[in-house]
Amino acid sequence: MTTESLLHLLRQTVGDAHVLTGAGLERYERDWQQRVHGKALAVVRPASTAEAAAVLAACAQARVAVVPQGGNTGLVAGGVPDASGTQVVLSLQRMQAVRAIDAHNMTMTVEAGCTLQQVQQAAAQAGLLFPLSLGSEGSCTIGGNLATNAGGTQVVRYGNARELCLGLEVVTAQGQIWEGLSGLRKDNTGYDLRDLFIGSEGTLGVITAATLRLYPQPVAQLTAWVALPDLQQASALLQLARQQLDAGLSGFEVMNQLALSLVAKHLPQLRPPMWQSQPWCVLLELSDSQSEQHARERLERLLEAALQQGLISDAIVAASVQQAQALWHVREGITLAQAQEGQNLKHDVSIAISAIPQFVQQANAALLQAWPDVRILTYGHLGDGNLHYNVQHPQGQTPAQFNARHGQAISETVYALVRRFGGSISAEHGIGALKRDTLPQYKSPVALQLMRAIKQALDPQALMNPGKVLAALPAQPGAQGGAE
Amino acid sequence: MTTESLLHLLRQTVGDAHVLTGAGLERYERDWQQRVHGKALAVVRPASTAEAAAVLAACAQARVAVVPQGGNTGLVAGGVPDASGTQVVLSLQRMQAVRAIDAHNMTMTVEAGCTLQQVQQAAAQAGLLFPLSLGSEGSCTIGGNLATNAGGTQVVRYGNARELCLGLEVVTAQGQIWEGLSGLRKDNTGYDLRDLFIGSEGTLGVITAATLRLYPQPVAQLTAWVALPDLQQASALLQLARQQLDAGLSGFEVMNQLALSLVAKHLPQLRPPMWQSQPWCVLLELSDSQSEQHARERLERLLEAALQQGLISDAIVAASVQQAQALWHVREGITLAQAQEGQNLKHDVSIAISAIPQFVQQANAALLQAWPDVRILTYGHLGDGNLHYNVQHPQGQTPAQFNARHGQAISETVYALVRRFGGSISAEHGIGALKRDTLPQYKSPVALQLMRAIKQALDPQALMNPGKVLAALPAQPGAQGGAE
């Protein structure tokens, strides 16, 4: 099939208005950090699963690669085309239906193009909670959240996107529809295809809809902010909080002084509290199923115990929802504040919670020995063992120059330690294009072999988001599609 | 390689004493329900992962099939060889090490052959909880629990075996070791191999060890037993309990009158309470992280609200741990009581929780119209939407004769309704050999195609537990092993 016949077929499938070609497609072609600038053959915007399946079948027939895209808010350039101008971007953004809410079963079925915020709001309207929560929730889509197994701030209580999904609808590389939507909490009828597609970053098929797990809304939610002398104390506070609050602990975020100082510098209106007195602060959230008073008593009991044990030096508890939101805004402001300070070297790592203080100590020592003036921002989801361990250029130097010159060596230093501690070089951001060539150095060769075998089995023509997660492989000789 | 050379090589690998051949191997060759009687070429008992890998490599070279086996307590004959006498049973029972416990990270790494009870006890000794709990926990192994994604009685709070596992060590069909053990709660570095092996029933590789997620031990645990007029009320009680107790709700089991009457008949010493007054009883468990008193107040508040709303007619709360255990023994006694009544037709189904009352009503009506005298035992994990909907022969008839004559039609009637309600024909038992030929009628053809593609990719010689889950396929021409 020629390119022209393919485009003609695609226009017949989704309508002329939804096959975009030519100039003006930058928002689909570059990642939002603007690290990668690609060029699409076309951007195709199906309105339904049937249309998406027809698009994939046509592309398979024409042997044209497909790059699925949601809100394009990813951090590893996993949803943008390469520069060849030969790849079709499949935008799911028109598929925004909330297909069903079953409040009694505590599930909802939504299409991939719903933003995370739309999903949260639809759940709230049914009196329930969809707990996934991230900075980009206003524009990221649930399809993208699942394709990348997004994490966020509530993982310590509710798990990652994976744990919040009960069933999927997927279009395969051959354009077939797997109708795996399900509100079942137990189903042992064969291989776990759901979890295979979740986190595969569009390289095995396209998620078009999902059945999500909902929770009762907390009756009361309280947020505390505490100052601490070191990470060891933060880690001990986490242990105490898990013991006393159990599932009531719904957030546990740690931030070092440098991270908060950048918020104070670039976003002074957010007024980060306590950061000048101690090297570390923790934001701790309690979600309670009984009452505001019960929540307050529990939280105060925890903080008193922590003060008595010498784990914390100071603490405040937000007195209102507004105050709690203001504290969360400080935490979420770190991303923007560090961007304003100049592009930095990001490391989204996870380590066993028990080893985190030691990891940070050794990583800091190794970096400061080789690059004495770098500034290390350490913050993140301590409750999940997930740190954003970011390295900012020395003051007085240009970020772009410094990163170009030292970036690779710095990241290798960090990742070597991550490996030594049995950690992960991508806790929640995924691999995409940006970490694809780094992955083989840190992942088990057997795991990579298994991944490649699965990729070839489900996408023998190598057309699904090629070059993401795994380096693009040539199509199997004679592969014509069909999963068998 | 000849059979004799293979056996020689296996003896060299694991020692003469651990390659069992000839007579006296029945306990490895038949399932514990004694529905399938197979014949093994040999039973091989490796002591370590390296030995297991060498065994699999040798079998791959000799093109001999391997049937992994744990405690051999499964309900679908997934762990026993066929009758050909050509398959090697790989028993993991000698691999029983608890390799590590990290109390601060709340994880433990154990070998596949540990019994579930050993795992629970090792966690308890570290002051933590491993919450997976099933009737066979004294003899089933954690490797088998993971290979079948076991469920049990605590799923409503803690999830299935899948949700309790953070990392795996697996020997592939080619005898390679995937070192995927990990205590990480977040790791987005590629496809979710862990969840692919979990629940694959030994058909893709052999789980040799796992890193498990632990929880704080509850400070107090209370058990209530209530009587109810119908399933609709039970379902409404569940909704109320989830709302009021949230994560505190750790068990919600429902039992119909017939199930309890069989316990009263065959196991009278267990003394099931209240079953004569109402058609249904519910066992409800609250796990509390504060205190016995707090737990009691919460539970009493719940039961008062349920009484006021007319959901329940009577309730007791166990006054001691012994009383609570006695109530659980009644629930667990149903399996034995029904076996003593005569072999029945088991249906381990799941349905959206909201649809369960309607499903049971329609299934009862359909069965009683066609077979007016059958006796329907309905019990199970209502909190997870998982019912054991078992059909017992009419009184005065012989179970074997009745089941042989009507079994298939009865199961088809039940499963047709399960399909109409979007449910699963195997909620927690798996597929194994017994449900293998039923599965294709109820599973999406696209899902089956994807499963076969994955099977061929990871096990191209078709040597891993052939004939389980999927019908045995011929090996790919020229397939020599190697996952690529």
Side-chain angles (χ1 to χ4, degrees), chain B residues 123-325:
Chain B
Q125 277 163 23
L128 292 165
L129 173 73
F130 182 65
L132 191 69
S133 177
L134 346 161
S136 58
E137 59 200 26
S139 44
C140 65
T141 62
I142 189 69
N145 297 148
L146 290 166
T148 59
N149 187 28
T153 55
Q154 305 280 296
V155 176
V156 68
R157 163 71 172 91
Y158 298 101
N160 297 289
R162 181 182 304 291
E163 283 83 31
L164 297 171
C165 177
L166 294 172
L168 289 181
E169 178 188 84
V170 169
V171 178
T172 70
Q174 294 79 36
Q176 289 186 297
I177 300 168
W178 170 45
E179 288 169 351
L181 293 173
S182 151
L184 305 178
R185 280 160 179 77
K186 284 180 167 178
D187 181 14
N188 281 347
T189 56
Y191 305 157
D192 184 8
L193 302 173
R194 174 191 67 200
D195 284 310
L196 186 60
F197 286 108
I198 293 175
S200 68
E201 305 187 31
T203 63
L204 300 177
V206 182
I207 295 170
T208 50
T211 306
L212 304 172
R213 187 196 284 266
L214 304 178
Y215 283 87
Q217 284 183 324
V219 173
Q221 214 163 32
L222 287 180
T223 305
W225 186 281
V226 306
L228 293 154
D230 64 34
L231 257 185
Q232 198 75 51
Q233 318 281 73
S235 184
L237 175 64
L238 171 63
Q239 206 170 8
L240 190 68
R242 286 188 307 205
Q243 193 55 249
Q244 287 199 13
L245 308 181
D246 194 28
L249 181 67
S250 55
F252 196 100
E253 300 287 313
V254 72
M255 297 150 278
N256 77 350
Q257 201 161 35
L258 178 61
L260 292 170
S261 77
L262 294 186
V263 176
K265 177 179 169 188
H266 296 288
L267 307 165
Q269 71 281 13
L270 295 185
R271 299 208 283 185
M274 291 188 206
W275 64 275
Q276 280 159 308
S277 65
Q278 290 281 0
W280 294 90
C281 287
V282 163
L283 188 165
L284 183 155
E285 187 188 77
L286 164 63
S287 295
D288 196 274
S289 54
Q290 288 186 246
S291 67
E292 172 93 16
Q293 193 199 332
H294 179 255
R296 207 162 282 279
E297 286 166 10
R298 284 192 98 177
L299 190 53
E300 281 167 5
R301 208 176 307 137
L302 171 69
L303 295 174
E304 270 167 34
L307 272 168
Q308 276 174 10
Q309 294 178 28
L311 300 180
I312 60 177
S313 61
D314 203 1
I316 50 171
V317 176
S320 66
V321 171
Q322 289 71 27
Q323 276 188 21
Q325 282 172 345

Side-chain angles (χ1 to χ4, degrees), chain A residues 102 104 187 290 294 354 424, chain B residues 102 187 242 290 294 354 424:
Chain A
D102 181 344
H104 194 151
D187 181 13
Q290 289 187 243
H294 180 254
S354 49
S424 166
Chain B
D102 181 343
D187 181 14
R242 286 188 307 205
Q290 288 186 246
H294 179 255
S354 50
S424 166

Side-chain angles (χ1 to χ4, degrees), chain A residues 228-248:
Chain A
L228 294 153
D230 63 34
L231 257 185
Q232 197 76 52
Q233 318 280 73
S235 184
L237 175 63
L238 170 64
Q239 206 171 7
L240 190 68
R242 287 188 308 204
Q243 193 55 248
Q244 287 199 12
L245 308 180
D246 193 28

Side-chain angles (χ1 to χ4, degrees), chain A residues 102-106 127-128 148-152 155 157-158 160 162-163 172 176-179 183-201 203-204 213 215-217 235-236 239 242-247 289-290 294 298 301 350-354 381 383-384 386 422-431 439 443-444 446-447 449-458 469-470 482-484, chain B residues 102-106 127-128 148-152 155 157-158 160 162-163 172 176-179 183-201 203-204 213 215-217 235-236 239 242-247 289-290 294 298 301 350-354 381 383-384 386 422-431 439 443-444 446-447 449-458 469-470 482-484:
Chain A
D102 181 344
H104 194 151
N105 195 45
M106 301 216 294
L128 291 165
T148 58
N149 187 28
V155 177
R157 163 70 171 93
Y158 297 101
N160 298 289
R162 180 183 305 290
E163 283 84 30
T172 69
Q176 289 187 296
I177 300 168
W178 169 45
E179 289 170 350
L184 305 177
R185 280 160 177 77
K186 284 181 169 177
D187 181 13
N188 281 347
T189 56
Y191 305 158
D192 184 9
L193 301 173
R194 175 191 67 201
D195 284 309
L196 186 59
F197 286 108
I198 293 175
S200 67
E201 305 187 32
T203 63
L204 300 177
R213 188 195 285 265
Y215 282 87
Q217 285 182 324
S235 184
Q239 206 171 7
R242 287 188 308 204
Q243 193 55 248
Q244 287 199 12
L245 308 180
D246 193 28
S289 55
Q290 289 187 243
H294 180 254
R298 285 193 99 178
R301 207 175 308 137
S350 60
I351 310 281
I353 295 168
S354 49
H381 320 294
D384 320 315
N386 176 199
S424 166
I425 64 158
S426 187
E428 58 177 9
H429 294 170
I431 299 300
L439 184 64
K443 187 95 179 171
S444 122
V446 178
Q449 240 177 66
L450 292 166
M451 284 168 57
R452 284 196 206 100
I454 292 165
K455 168 76 174 169
Q456 289 198 341
L458 300 194
V469 184
L470 295 167
E484 292 201 66
Chain B
D102 181 343
H104 194 151
N105 194 45
M106 302 216 293
L128 292 165
T148 59
N149 187 28
V155 176
R157 163 71 172 91
Y158 298 101
N160 297 289
R162 181 182 304 291
E163 283 83 31
T172 70
Q176 289 186 297
I177 300 168
W178 170 45
E179 288 169 351
L184 305 178
R185 280 160 179 77
K186 284 180 167 178
D187 181 14
N188 281 347
T189 56
Y191 305 157
D192 184 8
L193 302 173
R194 174 191 67 200
D195 284 310
L196 186 60
F197 286 108
I198 293 175
S200 68
E201 305 187 31
T203 63
L204 300 177
R213 187 196 284 266
Y215 283 87
Q217 284 183 324
S235 184
Q239 206 170 8
R242 286 188 307 205
Q243 193 55 249
Q244 287 199 13
L245 308 181
D246 194 28
S289 54
Q290 288 186 246
H294 179 255
R298 284 192 98 177
R301 208 176 307 137
S350 61
I351 311 280
I353 294 168
S354 50
H381 320 294
D384 320 315
N386 177 198
S424 166
I425 64 158
S426 186
E428 58 177 8
H429 295 170
I431 299 300
L439 184 65
K443 188 96 178 170
S444 123
V446 178
Q449 241 177 65
L450 292 165
M451 284 168 57
R452 284 196 206 100
I454 291 165
K455 169 75 176 172
Q456 289 198 340
L458 301 194
V469 184
L470 296 167
E484 294 200 65

